[in-house]
Amino acid sequence: VVLSMSAPSRMEDAEEQHARRVSDGEAHQGSTDAEHHARPLEVQEVVEKLNTVPAFKVVDDETGDIVPTPGKGGEACLCWYADPHDARVALAIVAAREPGRQLSLGTTPLGTALAMSEGWGTGLPSMPLRLQASSAVLRSVRDVLSPLPERAAAALNARTSAFPVFLMEELQSPSVAPVFFRREDLASCWRISGRAPEALPDSLTLYDLRVLVLKMMSTGADWRSLMFVAPGSSLQQIDAASQHGAVRDLERQAAVARGDEPPPLEEAAAIA
């Protein structure tokens, strides 16, 4: 199944169109809910589930466009990062190479980033795209992470890294089956649920996110309970960015009030 998109004038437009497509897309409906609980999900439904989790990108402050960052072997790619730390490292690399360029971190919903990096759409940039899992998580599971099945590897973007996610049967219920991107978030959920930390089982299920996504789109199961849990570090980054943005807005308003900066264009027009 492929998302159709009109050709964007720039990358940010493509992301907005993907997000709009998800919100406008009709999920497959049957005559009754009960008849269609066990079914493969449509691409739009998978993207919507994943869009509760943020991904990060390096953006040009002037244009708002995503900026190419070094990929495997030094190849420049338009990349979305699951871990804000990895995104900050990429930003520092680009900033060192282009010291005069104003850069910052931006966000894209993970489902949208996955869909674009896998080419599930039209009108996408010709530059290589990829999605990067947390490098810290990858290091922690290096010895137990299995390679992609041959059929999945052939169908998926080879530039994208392995993408570990964690599930634990003891944390699942008929209504909620959480999927975690970090072990520490799983452990935190265990503690919040009232269980003793020392009773946390050693065994858990490790999936590659993209294999899980392919399974969701090909297997007739009841996927309604599956819930992707945003990493705590990602939520902290977004909170910090929001606070920083609010401070910048207050500083700008104060500068306008002092006459140090001109008012925004719409305010200037109103004054005129």
Side-chain angles (χ1 to χ4, degrees):
V1 182
V2 179
L3 298 176
S4 64
M5 297 168 47
S6 57
S9 57
R10 66 180 196 180
M11 188 66 178
E12 194 71 19
D13 296 334
E15 292 180 357
E16 291 170 1
Q17 289 180 44
H18 260 288
R20 195 159 52 244
R21 180 73 183 200
V22 168
S23 63
D24 293 342
E26 291 284 335
H28 177 68
Q29 295 292 337
S31 55
T32 67
D33 285 342
E35 293 173 353
H36 292 279
H37 285 172
R39 61 176 178 85
L41 297 185
E42 303 288 345
V43 170
Q44 290 91 341
E45 294 173 294
V46 174
V47 169
E48 190 171 46
K49 276 188 172 290
L50 281 167
N51 273 354
T52 59
V53 178
F56 300 89
K57 59 188 177 182
V58 179
V59 298
D60 185 302
D61 285 347
E62 184 175 344
T63 66
D65 287 336
I66 185 172
V67 173
T69 55
K72 296 178 182 178
E75 178 189 31
C77 296
L78 300 180
C79 182
W80 294 270
Y81 299 87
D83 190 331
H85 173 74
D86 293 334
R88 288 193 291 269
V89 170
L91 187 153
I93 292 172
V94 177
R97 293 177 178 179
E98 304 179 54
R101 195 172 188 181
Q102 297 299 309
L103 303 167
S104 61
L105 291 189
T107 59
T108 298
L110 180 60
T112 300
L114 173 65
M116 297 184 74
S117 66
E118 291 298 330
W120 294 344
T122 58
L124 297 174
S126 57
M127 178 167 281
L129 309 174
R130 73 185 185 98
L131 188 61
Q132 175 64 49
S134 167
S135 57
V137 173
L138 284 170
R139 286 193 297 270
S140 72
V141 299
R142 180 168 28 199
D143 295 335
V144 295
L145 192 63
S146 300
L148 287 175
E150 186 175 344
R151 181 175 296 181
L156 295 169
N157 183 357
R159 292 185 177 88
T160 287
S161 69
F163 212 112
V165 291
F166 306 93
L167 300 88
M168 180 175 286
E169 186 175 352
E170 289 84 351
L171 288 174
Q172 298 176 6
S173 72
S175 59
V176 178
V179 180
F180 301 92
F181 293 84
R182 304 188 308 171
R183 282 174 167 164
E184 49 263 53
D185 294 313
L186 186 153
S188 177
C189 181
W190 179 270
R191 292 191 300 272
I192 291 171
S193 68
R195 297 173 171 90
E198 60 272 16
L200 180 67
D202 293 329
S203 61
L204 47 78
T205 302
L206 175 64
Y207 259 109
D208 187 295
L209 174 64
R210 296 183 300 160
V211 173
L212 178 58
V213 164
L214 291 180
K215 186 175 182 180
M216 292 165 68
M217 294 192 298
S218 62
T219 303
D222 185 356
W223 300 105
R224 292 175 303 158
S225 63
L226 203 66
M227 179 184 70
F228 293 94
V229 180
S233 58
S234 298
L235 299 179
Q236 290 168 9
Q237 171 64 33
I238 290 176
D239 185 56
S242 297
Q243 292 181 22
H244 181 64
V247 170
R248 287 176 61 183
D249 287 343
L250 289 174
E251 291 175 344
R252 191 177 299 111
Q253 291 172 20
V256 170
R258 293 194 304 267
D260 296 337
E261 290 187 13
L265 291 176
E266 60 270 19
E267 292 184 16
I271 294 171

